[in-house]
Amino acid sequence: MNITDNEIIELFFNVARMNRYIPSRDTEGDNLRPFMGQYRCLFFLEDKHEISQREMADALQIRPPSLSELLSKLEEKGYVQRVPSKKDRRSLMVSLTAEGMEEVKKSRKKQKKVHSDMLASLTDDEKRTFYALLNKINNHSARGEEH
């Protein structure tokens, strides 16, 4: 079987695209669930706890007006809060609410199950090989960006 590099990469990105939409798949009929870009913000805040809106825009490489719109939608859903900074009242600090943290926990749980399901057809040896190959590609790509 002769497989082209393009076919391999297309298949890789098809699998990656399936993974991107895992959190926003609505299995409970809840139309208030965030969309993928909003999950990116929630997952980021899970790690940072509290961060200025400007620093968040820079870190996520999102234009400040676009981030502001995303955060407004997440505020409407009760997942984030923005409060003026104690150090600089002109700056807004962003953090998860209790509901936001609960949404992140539910999404992480769902994500873990879907990831297990995605790899269920692989043996442990195949998983180790797959991991090693992805790691090799990742390391090669990272070195290529340095040059």
Side-chain angles (χ1 to χ4, degrees):
M1 179 156 126
N2 198 10
I3 304 169
T4 67
D5 289 350
N6 192 54
E7 288 172 314
I8 294 168
I9 296 301
E10 288 289 326
L11 182 58
F12 173 79
F13 281 114
N14 186 47
V15 171
R17 268 190 299 278
M18 285 189 295
N19 181 61
R20 279 190 67 185
Y21 297 100
I22 290 166
S24 58
R25 288 183 187 158
D26 186 356
T27 58
E28 300 163 14
D30 181 358
N31 63 1
L32 294 177
R33 295 184 61 82
F35 294 102
M36 194 56 221
Q38 294 170 354
Y39 272 105
R40 184 173 173 225
C41 289
L42 293 177
F43 291 161
F44 179 81
L45 288 170
E46 174 193 30
D47 185 47
K48 296 294 180 188
H49 302 290
E50 183 178 71
I51 189 169
S52 78
Q53 191 168 320
R54 174 160 299 288
E55 289 173 323
M56 187 173 177
D58 290 344
L60 293 174
Q61 298 180 338
I62 299 174
R63 292 178 318 125
S66 298
L67 179 61
S68 183
E69 184 177 334
L70 262 174
L71 292 173
S72 291
K73 290 176 181 175
L74 289 170
E75 273 183 317
E76 288 173 20
K77 294 173 182 175
Y79 294 149
V80 300
Q81 62 184 359
R82 290 185 277 187
V83 297
S85 169
K86 292 175 181 144
K87 295 177 185 172
D88 179 359
R89 304 291 287 168
R90 297 169 298 170
S91 181
L92 291 174
M93 300 302 290
V94 185
S95 61
L96 288 174
T97 63
E99 295 97 33
M101 186 54 85
E102 189 59 36
E103 182 63 31
V104 168
K105 285 179 185 176
K106 285 192 317 190
S107 296
R108 291 286 190 203
K109 186 176 179 181
K110 184 189 294 188
Q111 188 179 51
K112 185 176 180 178
K113 182 186 179 338
V114 172
H115 286 173
S116 291
D117 291 348
M118 286 176 78
L119 298 176
S121 65
L122 300 179
T123 66
D124 287 343
D125 284 342
E126 289 170 330
K127 288 177 188 179
R128 280 189 286 277
T129 300
F130 184 54
Y131 178 83
L133 292 171
L134 287 175
N135 205 25
K136 186 175 184 177
I137 292 168
N138 184 58
N139 290 338
H140 176 76
S141 296
R143 281 193 308 273
E145 290 175 3
E146 294 172 2
H147 299 292

